[in-house]
Amino acid sequence: MNIEVKRINEGIKDHPSEFINTVNEDYLYRLRKIADEILAHKDEKPVILLSGPSGSGKTTTALMIEKLLDDAGSETHTLSMDNYFCPLTEEEKQLACEGKMDLESPERVDKKLLNEQIEAISRCEQIEIPKYNFKNSTREASGRPFLRRQGELVIFEGIHALNPDVITVPDSKIWKIYVSVRTRITCGDILLHPSKVRLLRRMVRDSKFRKRSLTETMNMFRSVEDGENKYIMPYKYRSDYDIDTFMSYEMSAYRDFFMKRIDEIKDIPELQDTITVLEKLEPLDSKLIPPESLICEFIGNGSFKY
């Protein structure tokens, strides 16, 4: 799907709040249709796997689906697959510091534990959810017992959730969802690739909440994108549902943030087309964006807790 800058600007200038609400309601409508089908088969498929590349909005989408299922009467729990990473040895930590270790590899996942716990959850058996400590790259006992009761649902969210080498549980027991930005923005001769929208999301989030410069995120994104092309994109065909997370108003919401920092990005070759699009867009006051919006995962002030 493509969308013209002109169309976005018309929505922003004429009725910004109405435009935002329409986009949000459309996204919620698409998620509700998926939730309805999940509910119709919740006994045979109680586990939902949700994957997507960095900046795709998968965490918020998982929580939005959880809320829809909760509101429909089926208690739902969202678990992060990050907690199933294997601890790093001291040698591996050193390699990671030197940039010589592939931290995006599916080999980092404790597949045995993950699949055992998915199977146990499907059988309504109690487990202890692991907790990964990213500061020292170790996995800890969380002391958090978890028991799925009959009729409840569980969402596992993570970048490797659709990889058949990671998830060995039969498809008959699971739903598979892939989320990413799929819409391209047209502006004259420019056709802005969806990965550029995901990059802007990461830049905003990393600057606001992770104290990273825009260039640091840009440099990291290059290696992250390599990992996505190797480990995530090849398996999106396995999904039962493919969700486009692009919000038509989001680039306008990011515009002022980047225009104030234009000196930091103006010389990055990969961002020249993105800068041109941002300059052509009408700005949008982020105060108009409701807290339940997906892009609050990146700009903050959202209603979901991560």
Side-chain angles (χ1 to χ4, degrees):
M1 176 180 172
N2 296 343
I3 186 169
E4 294 181 356
V5 163
K6 179 183 177 182
R7 181 182 161 197
I8 296 172
N9 285 342
E10 287 171 354
I12 298 295
K13 284 193 292 187
D14 295 345
H15 304 285
S17 294
E18 183 179 326
F19 183 59
I20 292 167
N21 290 336
T22 298
V23 172
N24 290 346
E25 282 299 321
D26 175 71
Y27 192 65
L28 200 60
Y29 171 76
R30 287 183 279 141
L31 295 188
R32 191 175 288 114
K33 288 180 69 176
I34 294 171
D36 287 345
E37 188 161 354
I38 289 171
L39 286 167
H41 302 276
K42 65 180 181 179
D43 292 330
E44 60 264 40
K45 288 187 173 185
V47 174
I48 303 138
L49 304 178
L50 190 147
S51 175
S54 177
S56 62
K58 56 183 176 294
T59 303
T60 299
T61 299
L63 294 174
M64 292 173 80
I65 293 173
E66 176 187 332
K67 185 176 187 304
L68 288 169
L69 295 169
D70 284 343
D71 291 347
S74 285
E75 183 72 20
T76 303
H77 314 268
T78 299
L79 305 179
S80 173
M81 283 177 55
D82 287 356
N83 287 316
Y84 293 85
F85 283 150
C86 296
L88 296 182
T89 65
E90 292 304 316
E91 181 182 357
E92 288 171 332
K93 290 178 187 178
Q94 184 59 40
L95 289 172
C97 288
E98 296 171 1
K100 297 178 181 178
M101 185 173 180
D102 186 354
L103 297 175
E104 304 294 320
S105 170
E107 295 305 314
R108 289 210 57 216
V109 180
D110 188 337
K111 304 169 193 176
K112 183 174 183 294
L113 176 63
L114 175 59
N115 286 285
E116 284 176 351
Q117 292 207 338
I118 292 176
E119 291 278 15
I121 286 171
S122 297
R123 297 190 296 265
C124 292
E125 296 174 1
Q126 183 168 298
I127 63 167
E128 180 179 337
I129 298 172
K131 179 180 180 182
Y132 196 81
N133 186 326
F134 283 90
K135 289 183 178 179
N136 55 26
S137 301
T138 59
R139 197 171 63 223
E140 306 166 347
S142 67
R144 180 186 168 194
F146 177 76
L147 176 65
R148 181 187 76 88
R149 292 177 172 81
Q150 195 66 39
E152 294 183 349
L153 295 158
V154 177
I155 301 171
F156 280 87
E157 173 261 311
I159 60 174
H160 298 302
L162 300 187
N163 189 328
D165 292 330
V166 174
I167 304 294
T168 58
V169 177
D171 286 350
S172 59
K173 296 182 180 180
I174 54 178
W175 292 103
K176 302 182 296 299
I177 300 173
Y178 179 82
V179 302
S180 188
V181 176
R182 307 302 293 273
T183 297
R184 287 169 165 77
I185 302 170
T186 62
C187 179
D189 295 333
I190 295 173
L191 184 62
L192 196 68
H193 193 274
S195 64
K196 300 293 181 68
V197 178
R198 292 192 292 107
L199 174 56
L200 294 188
R201 288 176 173 184
R202 277 181 56 107
M203 283 178 157
V204 172
R205 181 194 63 195
D206 288 1
S207 175
K208 284 177 172 284
F209 308 114
R210 301 183 182 181
K211 298 182 178 178
R212 290 186 186 134
S213 70
L214 302 186
T215 51
E216 284 176 322
T217 301
M218 181 73 232
N219 293 334
M220 288 176 62
F221 195 77
R222 292 185 177 108
S223 62
V224 167
E225 198 166 31
D226 286 342
E228 292 167 355
N229 290 331
K230 285 193 291 185
Y231 306 130
I232 303 174
M233 306 299 190
Y235 305 111
K236 60 186 180 182
Y237 77 93
R238 300 188 67 244
S239 64
D240 300 303
Y241 303 103
D242 189 336
I243 305 172
D244 183 355
T245 66
F246 178 70
M247 302 286 113
S248 299
Y249 57 83
E250 66 176 284
M251 294 282 286
S252 293
Y254 309 146
R255 184 188 185 282
D256 284 352
F257 173 89
F258 286 101
M259 292 301 100
K260 290 174 183 176
R261 295 164 177 79
I262 193 67
D263 287 344
E264 297 178 51
I265 61 174
K266 65 181 182 182
D267 296 324
I268 299 176
E270 297 98 321
L271 289 180
Q272 296 311 301
D273 55 354
T274 311
I275 292 170
T276 299
V277 170
L278 286 168
E279 289 174 337
K280 297 290 186 181
L281 283 165
E282 286 288 322
L284 176 66
D285 186 350
S286 61
K287 292 178 182 177
L288 295 174
I289 298 171
E292 63 272 15
S293 168
L294 178 138
I295 71 164
C296 288
E297 179 176 335
F298 310 102
I299 65 174
N301 299 316
S303 57
F304 294 104
K305 306 304 177 187
Y306 302 105

